Amino acid sequence: MSIPQSVERTLRAAVLVACAGAALSAHAADAANVALARLDCGSQPEPVSVASFSDTMEHPDLKLPLTYSCYLVRHGDRYLLWDAGNALDGSARAPKVSLVDQLARIGVKPGDVDYVGVSHHHADHTGQLASFPGATLVIGQGDWDVMRASDPPAGMDAKDFAARRAPFKPWISGGKVETLTRDRHDVFGDGRVLMINLPGHTPGHHGLLVKLDKKGSVLLTGDVTHFHENYASNGVPTWNTNRADSLASLDRFKKLEANLDATVIIQHDPRDVEKLPVFPEFAE
């Protein structure tokens, strides 16, 4: 007995809907859980002058404590380390516990870290980078060009330049590097963890956007800004490499905050530390 065409069309449509539903369910089941944690990468608990953080002399008498924060993004069973903090050099601002030892608390070894993303090449963001030589380094092209150059940039002597480059040796020597030239970089390929191009502080400076299921979007500043007062007034540090780019990056960052209703975490401001759970807990 033949099936009427109208019934056949209905059956076909039902099968297509069922298949599409199954595909969506499978995709949802396969979607990686994303979580974010803060790691301690040093501190300057005694207030210090931040006068040089404004090239318009906005804060001549302001003193603030500063913190140095690194972050771990867990994407399913893969990991991104965002910034690598101060070196364990015994200085006042050096962390008391290494990144390697902090990660060991949750059973993560250096070889388990897939990516190390650096906001920029300054020493307080790269001090322990060489502890993760097997990871892929993800860095803005402008900053990588500085680190690969044979001569130090203007204003830096050869000794300081050699010290700045030292944490990058595993990658200068041939380790895996992804250099970023586009507007944003999708670290894991699903739109959940994005490095955002925010030049000005350095030529290849980036921030990080992490989209969490429960907490929502989180924006990590890198050094697009350093403390609440400067963020409020679009303050530009005297040592930034490009003032116009710095202001454009601040404008973009604030619009991302507004459009995504994002939680902004200023990495150097201790007032933002409590925006994430105390490690080893993660925000999800």
Side-chain angles (χ1 to χ4, degrees):
M1 183 178 66
S2 62
I3 301 174
Q5 288 187 350
S6 60
V7 175
E8 185 177 359
R9 286 195 296 268
T10 300
L11 289 172
R12 286 179 180 175
V15 169
L16 289 173
V17 169
C19 290
L24 287 172
S25 297
H27 177 74
D30 292 340
N33 175 262
V34 178
L36 175 66
R38 176 189 178 268
L39 301 166
D40 179 16
C41 284
S43 65
Q44 241 167 338
E46 293 298 321
V48 296
S49 172
V50 293
S52 65
F53 287 71
S54 169
D55 65 3
T56 59
M57 304 182 185
E58 184 178 15
H59 310 295
D61 302 314
L62 181 61
K63 293 185 176 182
L64 293 171
L66 298 174
T67 193
Y68 302 89
S69 298
C70 304
Y71 299 87
L72 185 68
V73 178
R74 186 180 66 215
H75 183 278
D77 60 357
R78 307 181 73 193
Y79 292 95
L80 161 72
L81 176 66
W82 176 250
D83 281 340
N86 286 300
L88 300 168
D89 58 6
S91 66
R93 69 183 193 180
K96 294 180 174 61
V97 181
S98 71
L99 282 172
V100 170
D101 287 342
Q102 290 181 68
L103 295 180
R105 294 181 60 191
I106 57 170
V108 174
K109 300 175 182 178
D112 298 329
V113 175
D114 299 275
Y115 300 101
V116 284
V118 294
S119 58
H120 61 297
H121 65 73
H122 288 170
D124 57 327
H125 292 257
T126 62
Q128 298 175 67
L129 198 58
S131 296
F132 305 90
T136 298
L137 174 67
V138 192
I139 185 172
Q141 183 69 58
D143 278 34
W144 185 238
D145 289 343
V146 172
M147 292 296 96
R148 287 295 302 264
S150 56
D151 297 318
M156 185 181 297
D157 64 31
K159 183 178 179 181
D160 288 341
F161 183 52
R164 182 72 58 85
R165 293 177 83 229
F168 291 90
K169 284 183 179 178
W171 297 277
I172 293 173
S173 301
K176 296 178 183 178
V177 182
E178 290 186 23
T179 54
L180 310 184
T181 58
R182 296 185 177 183
D183 179 66
R184 61 185 181 182
H185 173 67
D186 188 346
V187 178
F188 295 100
D190 61 357
R192 302 287 300 278
V193 183
L194 302 172
M195 287 180 64
I196 307 294
N197 188 30
L198 299 169
H201 185 63
T202 62
H205 180 273
H206 281 69
L208 190 71
L209 169 61
V210 183
K211 298 178 180 179
L212 302 173
D213 288 333
K214 296 177 183 178
K215 190 174 181 66
S217 294
V218 177
L219 282 164
L220 303 177
T221 57
D223 279 3
V224 73
T225 192
H226 294 79
F227 50 90
H228 289 186
E229 291 80 357
N230 245 21
Y231 187 52
S233 63
N234 291 339
V236 176
T238 57
W239 62 87
N240 276 21
T241 58
N242 188 297
R243 189 173 205 278
D245 284 350
S246 297
L247 291 171
S249 292
L250 277 164
D251 178 69
R252 182 185 187 189
F253 193 86
K254 289 185 174 183
K255 286 177 178 175
L256 284 168
E257 176 189 10
N259 292 335
L260 297 172
D261 191 23
T263 297
V264 166
I265 297 178
I266 300 175
Q267 292 184 209
H268 282 299
D269 197 318
R271 291 169 287 190
D272 281 9
V273 167
E274 293 183 357
K275 290 182 178 179
L276 291 177
V278 177
F279 188 77
E281 297 299 317
F282 282 75
E284 295 184 342

